[in-house]
Amino acid sequence: MIELKNDIESLRSLSQIFSPSNFKKVVREKDYSFVDKRFNKHLKTNTIYNRGELLEYLYKEMQDNYKSEYLYKNVLINKLLLGKYSLNTTTIINEFKIGNSIADFVLLNGEARIFEIKTEFDSLEKLKKQLSDYCQFANKVYIVSNHKFIAKLISEYNNSTIGIIEITQQNALKEIKIAQENVSTFNHLTIFKTLRKQEYLEIIYDLFGGIPDVPNTQIFKECLNLIRSIDVALFQKYAFQKLKERKLKCPNFLKSEQTPYELKHICYSLNMTENEYIELYSFLNQKI
């Protein structure tokens, strides 16, 4: 049997285990100290368990009693990317800078969709500005939230293009309001700045047959001027296709049942190699 030593305080502390930075240390440095110290400090057990079993217990406790932002992201990965769509046709980008905001979860398949997460522990203070930035890039924008905020969000965004999704007590995604297209609010500069240099140079070459012959310090400005000469909706399609080319190294390992449901989002975020997945499995199977 596994128990929390101090209910919600222990859960809050243990929830920090589910982070890409922590698992980056696990699979790339074999540094397990953070995980093991948290387990030893906050869990009581009457037998010896392996780390995978302890993580599974912890995740279930979070589902029932502490829905953190990680849990929301992991539900989106499992329900949408691995449950509804295909890794062959869909790309996810996490923590993606758009304008002056960082989008929580960007899904690219037939169109660009952004999912902004607001857990019950968050504030809605910055939401309006975040949504304004996202609508300059994405075809559709959703807020994913807890029942605590749903009535307020419906009141605020009922007459907008913004969609609303509730994560239910059973951890299902319930679409409360369907998102509408945002083409009229697309912005050349905002879309351009989402691209890496090599990505926008390839778009410029495809559209104009060459790259501006200017010093490196002027290349951004010259390319942006060229991009502004074409229709913004057309440019968004080119940018969207270029971003979709950011692919996973090991999609079969991500889909594998050997990779726990609880860790799918972390594995996707780290874009783990085959050796890193093998290191992860070894870490999970060790008893502590």
Side-chain angles (χ1 to χ4, degrees), residues 268-282:
Y268 190 98
S269 296
L270 292 176
N271 197 8
M272 287 164 50
T273 64
E274 181 175 343
N275 286 339
E276 288 168 349
Y277 274 103
I278 291 169
E279 177 58 37
L280 175 68
Y281 301 152
S282 171

Side-chain angles (χ1 to χ4, degrees), residues 16 27 32 37 59 70 219 233-234 255 264 268 273 287:
Q16 294 171 18
V27 300
Y32 311 156
K37 283 178 183 175
Y59 192 86
Y70 176 75
I219 194 72
L234 177 63
K255 289 188 289 188
K264 296 287 190 185
Y268 190 98
T273 64
K287 295 182 182 293

Side-chain angles (χ1 to χ4, degrees), residues 12 15 17 74 100-101 111 143 146-147 162 168 195 203 237 284 288:
R12 185 177 292 119
S15 70
I17 289 174
N74 200 48
N100 292 316
S101 303
E111 58 191 0
I143 308 165
N146 176 275
H147 66 88
I162 305 300
T168 68
L195 299 166
I203 291 175
K237 288 181 180 176
L284 295 172
I288 61 171

